[in-house]
Amino acid sequence: MTHHPGLLRTAPLQGETTSSLICRIASRYGMEAKALRSYWQWRNYPPGHDGGGARADAEVLLNAAGRQLLAGLCSVEEDVLARALPSWGQEDAKLSAGKNGVPAAAWRTGGAVAGPVAFGCRLCAALRTGTAVRVVRYAPRWERVCVRHGRWLLDADADQPLEYLDVRGVPEVAAAQRRWAGVARRAARAGVEPERVFALAYAVVARWWEQALHWEREALWPRRLHQVAGGNAGGDLERWRIVGRDAVVFPDVVAVADALLDPAMAQRAWLDSGAGRPRALPADGAFCRRLGERVGRKWLGPLAATDYGGRLTSWMGSVIRLRRGAGGPPGYDNDPWWLRQEHQPATMAGQLRVLGKEKKAPGSGRMWRAAVPAEQRTLITRAIESAEEQLLQLRGAQTGPTADVARQLLRSLRHSADLIENAWKRTALVAANAGMPLEEVAQWADMSPDALVNMLTAGQEDRG
């Protein structure tokens, strides 16, 4: 097949995926994207969702001949494409120059090539290209607001139809994006990569988001969520809590990132710990109290301070250990900005996959997340993680006067045991309430059925 240079120029948009550009070129010539892609020899099949649909974040890697062909089709110089397309120049072991320089291509997912992938704003694309076509581009979460049109641009890797959320009714979201630029500069001056600061703050706030279902005084997030859902998220609250999370919490993520970079906040954490006279972090500590004020929730301090298994208390612990000179050699254990795998928030795509599987599961009450209310799951998780954090704080505690060591060990171990017992009882209760046979639950809990019935009754009385 002989390929001719394109007659119509199709300029790339900054950060666009190569796959998105190919689709726009095809649209410009009135072709199906599949027909235009036949110009390349493909080494594999396009990635798809579990349900069989095509993934919007599918990306294309090209060999040298393939890149030359694309440059000719869109009538744009290769150096221009190299500056605009993050995947340009990346190749794969499956790709080679091919016989006689045959253009070759391979499919990948965008997240595995150059980072998070989101939809672009169609209205902005129309201003640039004259056509309101779909654009997919690489964009970190702090660059998701189209300020001109008031849109939060959603992740492109999820199996859901929306490309954006309307955030014109929540101006604090766009304001947070403008504020982030200053926070990023502060991070750079402090010698920390802004990406790491954002990731840590995002993990802290995403954890709050899961806990907020039982925060009676929380008013900001419900208002924002209903606004981005078109006025009412109540018809499908669980789905909207997944789709709307990143937009709703974004102002708080930026506020937390700003606070964690503030030396005065680190000093508060140090004083809360007793400074030169170590003590357990108090529930009414100045650090968490001030953090609550900075995110517009004066009542949040004690809740954040007693969330022992969370990333925030881990950050505080790292800061305190570094100040005491007890952090050991450089490494993730004494790096305040280190984010463990288990602390990373679940993605929208991952949560939607779980939700879809739960809704398709046969019968009712067999899938744990479908059978157990989110509030109960959160309480169980908090109890387990709090016990874990309590036990981690005992590492190296067997040093010092006997009375001090014994007092700290016994009190902390007793508290950890109470937390574990709480999680154990609550798990047995929700399993029985979810329809599991009482005899089986009693066997798993190593108790008699009568004792389980008594515990169930007592639990209902406590709630009622």
Side-chain angles (χ1 to χ4, degrees):
M1 181 182 294
T2 302
H3 306 298
H4 301 283
L7 300 176
L8 300 176
R9 189 174 188 273
T10 307
L13 302 177
Q14 189 61 41
E16 188 174 9
T17 67
T18 303
S19 176
S20 172
L21 176 60
I22 291 174
C23 290
R24 290 199 300 113
I25 295 171
S27 175
R28 192 83 188 274
Y29 285 98
M31 301 172 61
E32 292 288 336
K34 184 176 181 180
L36 184 62
R37 288 197 293 263
S38 67
Y39 283 23
W40 288 269
Q41 285 189 0
W42 294 88
R43 305 305 191 192
N44 57 355
Y45 294 100
H49 293 292
D50 293 343
R55 291 182 57 136
D57 70 327
E59 179 58 298
V60 172
L61 300 182
L62 305 172
N63 66 358
R67 293 192 293 271
Q68 185 178 8
L69 170 60
L70 181 62
L73 289 171
C74 62
S75 295
V76 175
E77 296 78 9
E78 288 195 42
D79 60 335
V80 174
L81 293 172
R83 289 193 297 270
L85 306 179
S87 67
W88 190 265
Q90 297 193 38
E91 293 198 18
D92 186 87
K94 294 182 179 180
L95 293 175
S96 63
K99 282 188 177 182
N100 301 320
V102 174
W107 288 103
R108 292 290 180 271
T109 56
V113 174
V117 181
F119 292 104
C121 176
R122 290 193 183 225
L123 298 180
C124 289
L127 291 174
R128 288 282 307 276
T129 68
T131 308
V133 295
R134 187 177 81 176
V135 174
V136 182
R137 55 187 294 268
Y138 294 94
R141 283 187 172 80
W142 57 82
E143 292 180 359
R144 293 296 179 87
V145 182
C146 173
V147 177
R148 173 181 289 175
H149 300 111
R151 293 180 169 185
W152 175 272
L153 305 170
L154 291 168
D155 291 342
D157 62 344
D159 189 7
Q160 59 88 33
L162 298 177
E163 294 184 10
Y164 68 91
L165 300 175
D166 188 340
V167 294
R168 289 175 295 178
V170 278
E172 60 266 34
V173 176
Q177 182 162 290
R178 290 189 291 268
R179 183 184 178 190
W180 169 252
V183 177
R185 288 193 294 270
R186 286 186 59 189
R189 288 196 297 269
V192 186
E193 297 92 335
E195 297 85 355
R196 299 185 70 202
V197 176
F198 186 91
L200 177 64
Y202 179 50
V204 169
V205 178
R207 181 174 173 86
W208 290 350
W209 176 257
E210 293 302 318
Q211 298 168 348
L213 285 170
H214 60 271
W215 286 355
E216 295 181 358
R217 301 178 66 179
E218 177 56 42
L220 293 176
W221 284 346
R223 177 187 62 81
R224 291 179 195 160
L225 184 62
H226 288 303
Q227 191 71 40
V228 302
N232 184 12
D236 195 358
L237 181 60
E238 191 161 10
R239 175 181 168 275
W240 276 113
R241 274 183 55 80
I242 294 172
V243 175
R245 179 193 65 183
D246 289 355
V248 170
V249 306
F250 182 58
D252 305 282
V253 173
V254 175
V256 170
D258 190 33
L260 297 183
L261 287 167
D262 188 348
M265 293 295 287
Q267 178 67 12
R268 287 187 172 91
W270 170 242
L271 295 176
D272 286 343
S273 73
R277 304 183 65 181
R279 66 180 182 186
L281 292 171
D284 61 345
F287 172 84
C288 287
R289 185 168 62 250
R290 179 58 181 145
L291 184 62
E293 293 171 355
R294 291 181 72 147
V295 296
R297 298 168 178 85
K298 294 182 179 180
W299 46 266
L300 180 59
L303 296 177
T306 55
D307 182 21
Y308 298 113
R311 188 61 192 93
L312 184 62
T313 51
S314 296
W315 181 88
M316 294 172 68
S318 297
V319 169
I320 293 165
R321 286 193 296 273
L322 286 173
R323 290 214 173 189
R324 286 181 182 156
Y332 66 86
D333 269 344
N334 58 358
D335 181 358
W337 309 105
W338 176 265
L339 187 61
R340 296 196 314 223
Q341 181 67 33
E342 59 267 28
H343 283 141
Q344 295 180 7
T347 64
M348 177 176 73
Q351 292 181 90
L352 288 175
R353 281 196 299 270
V354 171
L355 182 63
K357 290 178 180 178
E358 290 169 353
K359 289 185 175 181
K360 294 176 182 177
S364 62
R366 289 298 172 183
M367 296 296 290
W368 177 261
R369 285 176 57 88
V372 179
E375 298 90 335
Q376 295 298 324
R377 300 198 308 269
T378 300
L379 290 172
I380 292 170
T381 300
R382 287 192 67 189
I384 295 171
E385 292 178 340
S386 296
E388 177 190 20
E389 185 69 22
Q390 283 283 310
L391 293 172
L392 286 174
Q393 290 182 2
L394 294 180
R395 185 184 299 169
Q398 299 189 57
T399 302
T402 302
D404 293 344
V405 172
R407 184 187 306 112
Q408 181 182 2
L409 283 173
L410 289 173
R411 287 180 176 175
S412 297
L413 289 171
R414 179 68 264 175
H415 184 50
S416 298
D418 289 341
L419 290 168
I420 292 172
E421 184 177 8
N422 175 276
W424 174 77
K425 287 183 177 180
R426 193 175 295 277
T427 301
L429 288 171
V430 298
N433 290 335
M436 300 305 300
L438 290 179
E439 293 77 9
E440 292 187 21
V441 176
Q443 181 181 2
W444 300 333
D446 195 21
M447 62 192 305
S448 69
D450 290 340
L452 176 61
V453 171
N454 291 336
M455 192 170 69
L456 276 169
T457 305
Q460 290 172 350
E461 290 175 354
D462 292 342
R463 290 193 299 272

